[in-house]
Amino acid sequence: MRKMLKTRPRSPLLEVRTWEREEGTYLVECSGEVDIETAPRFRAALDEGLRPGTRRLVLDLRRVNFIDSVGVGHIVAVYKRLPPGARLRICTRNQHIRLLLEIAGLNGLSSVHDELDDALQAPA
Amino acid sequence: MNDCGVNRYRWGRLDIPSRPECVPVVRHAIARLAQQTSLSAEERGDLDLAVTEACANAVRHGSPQRERNTVCVAYFAGPDAVLVEIRDQGGGFSAAAKAPPAAGELRDGGYGIHIMRQVMDDVEIAWQGGTVVRLLKRRRQGRPGAPARGATLVAPGPGRLPVPA
């Protein structure tokens, strides 16, 4: 049994948008899969939340069913570029995503919440 | 006729062009294969993650001629375990790439191998005219003394990340 893919696979598997939920709070909503294929769009969406006035960047990953080290690496990179005093909040119940965040060094894992309301209401 | 159990085993090979968009194709193929085993959902998730990391490494670092290179994925699945071999045409990993992140280190990449070792039962990396990564995942349930992974690694619940300086 040997197969060779000759055709281009299906389109990207990630839907993502960034919007200002309230003043200074940017929400990145994602659904689907984040990997080497979709990571550039994920990164672009994260970057959109990095504004001079950003006080809180919230990643809603509740509908993300897969993420790899490339995607988590982008979260780390954005975290490092947050404006001084700004906070990163992540919303996910996925244990694999939580594990990767810990491996990446984002432990305290903490600013990880099960519910979006908790992430939004956490102090900036 | 004796049932030697051969129908309980599946194997095959999938060759992909070294392109990012082919990585999820491999992941989904291996996921479908794993669904036919007794691996739990968490164990199948571990396998998905490790296969994706290995394939992404092959595409990013193991393909000197980029899309003209091929990544070969061979798989063998029994009732209680799945073995996946990912073979590229690169020159191998550096020792630094194999090193786990230091405690407290905040890295934005370079821990794919570390992840594979965290989630798989066995990871073998060799150089045979290209890098060969072999990933083994066994069914945990029913194995005496096998600890559950993740329970001590991650404590879910609200908390706080360090604030950037």
Side-chain angles (χ1 to χ4, degrees):
Chain A
M1 191 187 314
R2 182 176 177 179
K3 303 170 186 174
M4 178 71 184
L5 296 175
K6 293 181 179 175
T7 56
R8 197 171 181 85
R10 57 180 153 166
S11 58
L13 301 164
L14 176 71
E15 291 185 11
V16 59
R17 71 164 183 154
T18 303
W19 57 291
E20 190 171 17
R21 166 89 180 217
E22 56 191 67
E23 187 176 355
T25 297
Y26 286 84
L27 177 61
V28 183
E29 295 176 313
C30 309
S31 63
E33 302 178 1
V34 182
D35 63 9
I36 187 174
E37 179 196 10
T38 58
R41 287 195 300 128
F42 181 63
R43 175 60 181 267
L46 294 177
D47 285 344
E48 275 190 55
L50 283 182
R51 309 289 176 93
T54 298
R55 288 185 289 119
R56 185 191 288 126
L57 181 62
V58 180
L59 309 187
D60 183 0
L61 305 181
R62 290 173 300 164
R63 287 179 294 279
V64 171
N65 51 40
F66 181 86
I67 191 166
D68 69 357
S69 67
V70 179
V72 172
H74 287 329
I75 296 175
V76 171
V78 166
Y79 169 76
K80 290 178 173 176
R81 293 169 50 220
L82 282 173
R87 310 283 183 151
L88 175 67
R89 306 289 183 218
I90 301 170
C91 189
T92 180
R93 294 178 174 175
N94 185 303
Q95 290 301 307
H96 279 102
I97 296 177
R98 287 173 177 263
L99 171 65
L100 261 61
L101 292 170
E102 183 180 37
I103 290 174
L106 284 170
N107 40 359
L109 249 197
S110 20
S111 87
V112 179
H113 302 265
D114 286 346
E115 304 298 335
L116 181 60
D117 283 346
D118 294 337
L120 289 168
Q121 290 169 10
Chain B
M1 188 170 72
N2 283 335
D3 179 6
C4 64
V6 72
N7 289 334
R8 303 168 68 201
Y9 296 88
R10 296 171 189 275
W11 58 91
R13 180 170 153 173
L14 183 63
D15 293 350
I16 61 168
S18 184
R19 297 203 307 245
E21 61 266 34
C22 292
V23 172
V25 176
V26 174
R27 177 169 70 251
H28 296 155
I30 297 298
R32 285 193 298 274
L33 175 79
Q35 281 182 337
Q36 299 171 40
T37 70
S38 61
L39 296 185
S40 68
E42 181 187 353
E43 290 161 346
R44 295 197 305 270
D46 290 344
L47 183 64
D48 292 352
L49 179 57
V51 167
T52 301
E53 295 294 340
C55 288
N57 275 348
V59 170
R60 297 174 88 186
H61 309 299
S63 303
Q65 296 179 297
R66 297 183 176 275
E67 296 188 1
R68 283 190 288 173
N69 285 127
T70 298
V71 178
C72 303
V73 181
Y75 55 86
F76 181 90
D80 297 330
V82 177
L83 173 68
V84 182
E85 179 187 276
I86 298 95
R87 183 181 293 264
D88 65 33
Q89 296 172 282
F93 295 117
S94 68
K98 295 178 183 177
E105 184 183 9
L106 195 58
R107 275 163 56 169
D108 55 10
Y111 39 81
I113 295 174
H114 182 61
I115 289 170
M116 291 179 225
R117 289 188 166 135
Q118 286 274 326
V119 299
M120 299 303 285
D121 290 301
D122 195 20
V123 177
E124 183 180 302
I125 301 172
W127 194 85
Q128 298 170 357
T131 300
V132 181
V133 178
R134 295 188 186 96
L135 306 168
L136 175 67
K137 190 67 182 178
R138 296 191 190 95
R139 182 173 70 110
R140 181 192 306 126
Q141 295 163 353
R143 279 196 286 137
R149 183 194 58 72
T152 58
L153 288 172
V154 177
R160 183 176 294 272
L161 289 175
V163 182

